[in-house]
Amino acid sequence: MPVDHRRIQGPECSEDYRKPKTLDAALLKKGSRRADGRKCGEQRKIFLKPGVVSQAKGSAYIELDHTKVICSVFDPREKASRNLEQQTVRGEIFCEFKFASFSGVQRRSHQQEADDKEYSLLLKNALEPAVCLHEFPNFQVDVQVLVLQDDGSSLAAAITCAGLALADAAVPMYDLPVGLSKAFSGDTEFFDPTGAEERMCLRGVDGESDHGVFTIGFLPTFNQVSQLFHSGHISSDRFGKMISEVGTLAAEVHKAVQAILLSAVKSSIDSSDNSKLLL
Amino acid sequence: MSVHIKTIHPMKYMRDFLARNIRPDGRKLSEVRPTAINVGSISTADGSALVKIGNTVVICGIKAELTVPNAENPNEGFVIPNVELPPLCSPQFKSGPPGETAQVSSQFLADILVNSKCVDLQSLCIMPDKLAWVLYCDLICLDHDGSVLDACVAALVSALCTVTLPEVKFDAITKNKTVELEKRRPLTLTCFPFASTFATFDENSILADPSEEEESLCSGTISIVTSGDSLYSVHKPGGCQLSENRLSECISKAQKRSLTLRGMVEKSMESIKS
Amino acid sequence: MAGLQLLSEYGLRVDGRRPNELRQIRCKMGVFSQPDGSAYLEQGNTKVLAAVYGPHEVRLNRSKTHHDRAYINCQFSMAVFSTSERKRRPRGDRKSQEMDMNLNQIFESAIRTELYPRSRIDIYLEVLQADGSNFSACVNAATLALIDAGIPLKDYVCSCTSTLAPSQGGAPPTPMVDVNHVEETLGGPGLSMSTLPRLDSVVHLELSGTRLHLSHIDPVAEKAATGAADIMAVLDKAVRGHVAQCLHAREVSGQGADA
Amino acid sequence: MADILLSEAEKTFILHGVRDNVRNDGRSCSEFRPIELELGLVENANGSARVRLANTDVLVAVKCEIDNPPSNFPDEGKLDFFVDCSANATPQFEGKGGEQLAVELAALMSRAYQTRESFNLSTLSIIKGMKCWKLCIDVLILECGGSLIDAISMGTKAALADTKIPKVSVIGSDEGTLELELADEADGREEPLDWHHAPCLVTLNKLEDSLLVDASAEEEACCAAALIVGVSPNKKITTTSIPGHGSFLADSKIFARALNLAVDVGVKLNTALEAAIKKHQTLKPPPRGFLD
Amino acid sequence: MPRPLLHSLLSLILNQLTRVLHAVCSVYKQNFLAMNSNSSNGTHSDDKEECSVRPILCELGVITRPDGSAILTQGHTVVMSAVYGPSEVRMQRLQVDRAYVETVFRPKAGVPNTSDRLRETIIRDTCETAMIATLYPRTTISVILQEMEDSGGLLACSINASCLALMDSGVSMKFLFAAVTCGVTEDDLIIVDPDADKLKECKASLTFAFDSINKNVIASYTSGTFPVQTYNNGLEKCRQASDFLFDFYRDIVRKYASTL
């Protein structure tokens, strides 16, 4: 690895002291509760708070039990792309997704790795249908997402968090995008999987034909799917059924996010009222 | 009305406030913003802490790994601090390799660790010349609203307090290492350095714990790292001249503040132990 | 010299060629439909693809345009699988930047740029397989692509490399033309010359590898020049064949349309 | 990919054609354009293939390197995708231009090959936990004229079929370091890779409520959204993705129809590809390359 | 160009080359003799009790291209500095009311790393305080420092070298500034301007920069642990030592008055 002169240098090579975790198929016990006591179709408790970063135009922080994601949005600025002749009529969203170096079990490097780049593109595709891009032609909105701790379905949490941050930054949008993910192996399905369940279903237990993980970006008011990111092994009709099942759950999450946004806007109006009195 | 003056004549706006020795956000000159320290919030890291001073938020995550000590000092482990100022925390930073302020802060933290010897590097060595611990301390600023150095040092020290390292036995002949994950012993710190930053304004007024716009308007800053009795660093990169007594005034304020910060860290440590 | 002898005692080279024998050249023009001109050239096992876009108006950075002539922009890149050892990055390293600069200079002097003021001509080269004298193969392929794109040239730009086999058993060192990968890596001096054969003028000359004694420069340069002239003959034949083929195709389609 | 300028009239012309299942080049909505396949083109690689789908031209080469296996799966090898957008395709790919598209395509392909059912990595292991094969799959895009990912997935599957892994024997291991001796290429490993389960990716473009397969550049310009589905020969979906600004209506009817169409087109594609590969392997025609 | 022309060109270049080579090595011989003759007569005695500094040697205007340049030797620590006076500024660095001051510190070997960046910030802020930057709006003033030899007190030597270069460049300044380093031994004794091996025994080192008018602290950079009292009397000792430097500045200016 070329020496990075812009950071304090540690020893050349160092490896993790933990033995690599083997996949425990115990997670798949039929019909029983999951490792953290949730039922199969139950989502983790969501903690969501807009306006956490004072310096950003809009920001949001989401916590799904151990998955913690923070996102900040800056107001539109001149498009930085060098080929100026592409005077597109549509604005652009520039997403940057980064796992913190201490976010996973394995330490990650400071530079952007392959999956950071991949998630940036997926997040960009998930948000673009929701934002009225024609409102700011030739401008780009920067969406910066940082995963502080990753315990499964971090992309889904990032989609919801980025949607709320965009709303907090008053970017014109058609709808609040909501991210949901589901892992399945054999006939057990985990809604909003944790890190261990996700790794388990990605590999799939031998002999089990259907397994995999998929993340959906939803725009519930128009019932649109903005991003469908799946990896695994499944037949098409079962996949269609699962997508519509997840659709119903998306509506609930969407209501919750709307309520949070509403209360945040109300509190900012009240505070700005009495701040007028003060001056 | 006040917003327009602030954007057009920021200096005049600030001087009017300082004339009545009060600050735009209502604080007195030597008053410090409310500070909160939350410890052990990231379970995937071996040690972590989040420090919030006013609006400035810095999170520090420490990952421990095993490595071979270098030749110069074979019986010492490593503590590698690195500060990241991502574009997330403020529009002034670009994405890509760390900018100048980030590099200066990382070097400042590395100097403090060397000066104060708060982590005894010998205790990090498992087998001299064969195997030692390396603690990668990665600090990420989530909100850049002034005096980020204070928050970084506080976050680093409190995260180091929460680090627990598993027992490792190294068998020289067979060269394999056995790690008992259950028996974890905490890392002991020899001292608790804390930083306080002061901004100097037209040579006479000194503001404690400046916010982002105060920092951008001031003529110079001075950061003093102390743990109550001895000084670890008096870092004044330039800015206006400071006479003798003003300097010692800052040092005494810094010492008082480091004692209060130390109390807060110990209180939050008890909260996670119980 | 390493164990392997460059010239066997019967005067044959490693791949069985005579010292003054070129490798087999096969080429095809008009390989792609989207670029204005494209060509594929095989010189022995060195396979190169060339594409030409232009002359088109400059949209990107206006600072680079010249008011009186066209701006030539070349990009040389080697496919990741082109060499036996997998290359980490296809382009952007020092070597390919140097190649870009050389190619720019060559074609700036070869193309009649004054006919297209304030415009830009892009020449992109992709080496699919590298088996020695890649740069010369690129120059020849680019010439074919420019002709396919219908861009007026002062003359064919033919490039050839030559080297010097060390003297064995008293025989004087014999210059060899059209160097392949083995001869290149064995460290002899490599002289690569790009010429406009009909106008008998040198456009680009580069000596790399070990030192070359002053007295040997003439024979080696001579060899490279004759090599380039022979290559021009081959390219000329290929171009005429291609043009004849196009005319024939147009007639056939022309009749089809009238009937 | 290059900027296609379409007038409104042309768009409505395409739209009406698609409504009654006819496209301007006479194909029905679920038909592919003629595909040419060629194997064994690149001598330096262990396996290579070239796919021409109308004017999309992709060259895929597979090279094997010896590497140590991932720590959490010691008995498996590695698969590494790298896509290079050559500037030959369009001037926009010059320098860093094609970087973003290359990253997107490489990520999509590595996700399609992630499950064991599509490519069993344990066949790449040499010595459990010590040494394994790392297949570097390098894709070079020479010309792009729509449905790029389909051409790349077909090229990858054909290249894997053409790959021969040299036999490896361990000739002694002094204190922990292994010396591996590569048998020369001639007597390659007996059974080549099991490429039969490799998936083929199909791009469905949505135009109003009809779905187009293998849309040409003009058709792609007037489509609202696209859905990419990776289909393995045994009718299973291995990956999906929705690139670009579009979004799909989520009611189960539309989605089920789209997925089923994708699966049977994908299966048809897989069988046609396997037939072409078998024909190529039996006839062993001399590589013509670009000289045809 | 045609080939016969090529051959004549080649031979012409060759004999030119040989002539130039002979000239260069003769010049080098004379220089070497002159150099080591005048470095022995150090201007200041070397005893440590009262606060005197190591022997200082300086030359202004050593490099022709920059507007101001200096090479400064303090004991065996040598730093060369150059100042490129008010020059045009890049768009994103433009400041409407003042000059943008930029500093580059090049270490002796290798690529500049984070510790050089820290030195750069200290030197830049010190120069910025001393300069009247508001006289040159919308411009850039860049101070370039090259470390030639480091045997203790490198930061102080670089700050002094940058001050000398600024004087040579004619940029208007509010005051001159001088920096002094002092070491703190195990039993809290202050050694002023220690060289490398004395510095090794010290447990801490303090570097201060003072202004020439009322000798206040402009910059302070410390390493190691020390009690507050030691910091104060270290500061006092360094302040007295800075007088030597300010006198030295006066001598230099007098010496170069004719040529400046």
Side-chain angles (χ1 to χ4, degrees), chain A residues 233, chain D residues 112-120 194-195 197-199 232 238:
Chain A
H233 198 75
Chain D
Y113 278 77
Q114 204 160 13
T115 60
R116 271 205 313 277
E117 278 73 15
S118 52
F119 190 79
N120 194 345
D194 73 340
W195 51 275
H197 310 296
S232 63
T238 70

Side-chain angles (χ1 to χ4, degrees), chain A residues 5-11 13-19 52-56 66 68 70-72 74 96 100-107 110 144-146 148-150 279, chain B residues 41-44 46 55 61 63-67 78 80-82 84 87-89 91 95 97-98 103 106-107 110 133-134 136 138 140 142-145 166 177 179 181 184:
Chain A
H5 290 290
R6 296 220 174 98
R7 291 194 174 83
I8 309 280
Q9 283 323 104
C13 60
S14 59
E15 86 267 321
D16 196 359
Y17 61 90
R18 295 177 189 80
K19 277 190 295 305
V52 280
V53 177
S54 64
Q55 298 295 313
H66 286 308
K68 302 177 173 74
I70 184 166
C71 165
S72 77
F74 292 94
E96 209 183 298
S101 59
F102 43 79
S103 61
V105 176
Q106 201 72 21
R107 179 170 181 269
H110 289 293
Q144 311 281 347
V145 171
L146 177 70
L148 297 174
Q149 187 175 349
D150 170 27
L279 293 176
Chain B
S41 42
I42 309 284
S43 56
T44 52
D46 296 302
N55 281 332
K63 293 286 276 187
E65 292 196 352
L66 292 169
T67 183
F78 304 88
I80 310 293
N82 267 308
E84 289 286 316
L88 176 125
C89 68
S95 55
Q103 290 177 47
S106 304
Q107 184 61 38
W133 283 108
V134 52
Y136 288 109
D138 296 319
I140 302 177
L142 301 179
D143 192 349
H144 191 282
D145 191 14
K177 42 190 181 298
V179 179
L181 289 176
R184 297 181 82 109

Side-chain angles (χ1 to χ4, degrees), chain A residues 135-152:
Chain A
E135 292 284 339
F136 43 97
N138 276 326
F139 272 68
Q140 81 176 31
V141 173
D142 292 339
V143 178
Q144 311 281 347
V145 171
L146 177 70
V147 177
L148 297 174
Q149 187 175 349
D150 170 27
D151 184 20

Side-chain angles (χ1 to χ4, degrees), chain A residues 20-21 23 82-83 85-86 90 106 114 117-118 121-122 124-125 128-129 133 202-211 218-219 222-237 239-240 243-244, chain D residues 3 71-73 76 92 94 96-98 100 103-104 107-108 110-112 114-118 121 206 227 232 234-252 255-256 259-260 263:
Chain A
K21 268 212 281 297
L23 303 168
R82 31 171 183 67
N83 31 33
E85 94 283 352
Q86 279 172 346
R90 230 200 292 265
Q106 201 72 21
K117 288 200 185 89
E118 181 190 354
L121 284 170
L122 292 173
K124 179 169 139 73
N125 289 339
E128 251 165 9
L133 296 171
L202 262 181
R203 299 281 311 153
V205 182
D206 300 346
E208 211 83 40
S209 66
D210 285 2
H211 65 86
F218 248 97
L219 304 179
F222 304 102
N223 200 357
Q224 291 276 342
V225 174
S226 68
Q227 175 59 275
L228 180 63
F229 153 68
H230 156 78
S231 146
H233 198 75
I234 178 166
S235 64
S236 67
D237 41 29
F239 196 34
I243 290 171
S244 47
Chain D
D3 33 27
S71 54
N72 36 20
F73 302 110
E76 282 187 359
Q92 274 106 19
E94 191 187 342
K96 287 254 183 304
Q100 184 149 28
V103 165
E104 193 170 344
L108 204 55
S110 55
R111 251 207 337 274
Q114 204 160 13
T115 60
R116 271 205 313 277
E117 278 73 15
S118 52
L121 292 172
K206 180 165 86 77
L227 170 69
S232 63
N234 49 19
K235 285 197 178 47
K236 294 285 182 186
I237 295 178
T238 70
T239 187
T240 58
S241 165
I242 301 184
H245 319 299
S247 62
F248 270 74
L249 199 58
D251 65 7
S252 59
F255 242 100
L259 292 174
N260 291 338
V263 165

Side-chain angles (χ1 to χ4, degrees), chain B residues 100 103-104 107 111 115 229-244 247 251 255, chain E residues 114-115 117-118 121-122 124-126 129 175 216-222 224-226 228 231 235 239:
Chain B
E100 194 181 316
Q103 290 177 47
V104 166
Q107 184 61 38
D111 289 353
N115 298 349
D229 45 7
S230 57
L231 286 170
Y232 299 114
S233 164
V234 179
H235 179 61
K236 183 177 184 323
C240 67
Q241 312 94 320
L242 214 53
S243 64
E244 196 75 2
L247 201 56
I251 291 175
Q255 284 170 328
Chain E
T114 44
S115 53
R117 276 284 180 294
L118 188 61
T121 37
I122 296 174
R124 188 197 54 227
D125 290 353
T126 313
T129 339
F175 45 75
N216 278 340
V217 175
I218 302 174
S220 134
Y221 175 72
T222 66
T225 323
F226 44 86
V228 181
Y231 181 75
L235 192 141
R239 173 176 284 138

